[in-house]
Amino acid sequence: RLRKQIAQENRRREAQRKAAIEEIFRQCGLGNPSSGDIAKALLWEECHHQDPYSGECINFHDLFGRDAKWEIEHIIPYSRSLDDSLSNKTLCSREMNRAKGNRTPFEAFGGTPEWEDMKARMAKMVEHASKADKDAAIRKFERFTMEEGVDELFRDFTHRQLNDTKYASRLAVEYLGLLYGGVCDEQGIRRVNAVSGGVTAQLRKGWRLHSILRDGPSQGDVKP
């Protein structure tokens, strides 16, 4: 039964993605939207076309392109949660995203007069969520309004994520070593090295791999 429920949920999510792709093409003429573009369209529907931080209405066309006014932002900063799922994302303006920085919504805006309105807009998202999306909307609201205990909550999760990444990198190095005569050559010099994610991202940009890997040109491809 659980397997059937998971399969049904996956089909529903895929249908949402396809609908988002069709809407992007219909309204903006983008025939090969990036994964980030698709996420923006999904989040735009979720927040009912309104920036949960500022309350500003979001024009669909302003979501896309290098000069897009609206950005995807991590509710709990990625550096503190390592959570890159949609359940940890929403939309906000570039200016608001810079103002929030590496803080939670409460840390950034909890002491401002606008905080209650921000919470009310997130509560509205829960109220208008479909039955299938209600639980996810509640969890997102809880993250958005968290006042304390954020780092403690995500500490175990980030520890597991980092260990999994290290283990995967080690396996990748060992596998590539098998293809090239060992990880080290006869003089003990390493043939294969693992690098940080930041270096990998720069190489992806430099080699213009984003479109091949379906991250699209909007992710900042650079000319070689």
Side-chain angles (χ1 to χ4, degrees):
R1 183 178 178 181
L2 178 60
R3 185 180 301 175
K4 183 178 180 180
Q5 290 176 338
I6 293 173
Q8 289 175 339
E9 179 63 14
N10 287 340
R11 286 195 295 270
R12 189 177 72 86
R13 293 297 183 187
E14 183 59 27
Q16 289 178 328
R17 285 178 56 83
K18 288 181 179 178
I21 292 170
E22 291 171 0
E23 187 67 11
I24 292 170
F25 179 74
R26 187 181 71 81
Q27 291 207 40
C28 304
L30 298 178
N32 186 32
S34 69
S35 57
D37 291 336
I38 297 169
K40 280 186 175 182
L42 293 171
L43 292 169
W44 180 75
E45 287 288 353
E46 179 185 79
C47 67
H48 301 282
H49 318 163
Q50 186 181 35
D51 183 335
Y53 287 95
S54 68
E56 238 184 302
C57 290
I58 302 175
N59 186 301
F60 192 75
H61 292 80
D62 291 335
L63 291 171
F64 312 107
R66 294 182 183 276
D67 297 321
K69 182 178 178 181
W70 308 97
E71 298 180 338
I72 295 174
E73 83 92 14
H74 290 78
I75 296 171
I76 307 300
Y78 178 75
S79 63
R80 295 166 63 180
S81 67
L82 294 186
D83 186 353
D84 199 38
S85 68
L86 281 180
S87 63
N88 191 41
K89 293 177 180 177
T90 189
L91 296 174
C92 71
S93 67
R94 284 185 289 181
E95 295 76 18
M96 189 66 75
N97 205 1
R98 303 300 179 274
K100 178 174 178 282
N102 196 44
R103 297 177 290 178
T104 68
F106 177 77
E107 290 169 350
F109 307 112
T112 68
E114 294 78 21
W115 176 237
E116 291 302 320
D117 289 335
M118 293 180 185
K119 290 198 298 181
R121 284 188 284 271
M122 290 299 294
K124 183 179 177 182
M125 288 171 52
V126 176
E127 180 184 348
H128 293 288
S130 66
K131 183 178 179 180
D133 291 322
K134 185 71 72 174
D135 288 344
I138 291 172
R139 289 194 298 271
K140 182 168 289 194
F141 174 81
E142 291 172 345
R143 286 192 179 200
F144 192 95
T145 56
M146 283 187 70
E147 296 187 7
E148 57 186 18
V150 172
D151 293 316
E152 290 78 5
L153 177 65
F154 286 96
R155 183 175 293 125
D156 290 342
F157 175 77
T158 54
H159 183 69
R160 289 195 303 272
Q161 290 286 92
L162 288 172
N163 282 340
D164 288 347
T165 300
K166 291 176 182 177
Y167 180 66
S169 297
R170 186 165 67 250
L171 289 181
V173 167
E174 291 175 0
Y175 175 73
L176 288 172
L178 294 175
L179 299 178
Y180 295 99
V183 174
C184 299
D185 63 15
E186 293 79 2
Q187 286 76 41
I189 299 174
R190 291 185 67 89
R191 290 191 177 101
V192 184
N193 290 281
V195 298
S196 70
V199 173
T200 304
Q202 290 300 316
L203 290 174
R204 281 160 59 106
K205 289 181 181 180
W207 291 336
R208 309 186 72 179
L209 295 176
H210 286 300
S211 58
I212 298 173
L213 298 172
R214 293 193 59 78
D215 290 334
S218 63
Q219 299 296 316
D221 284 342
V222 296
K223 295 181 179 179

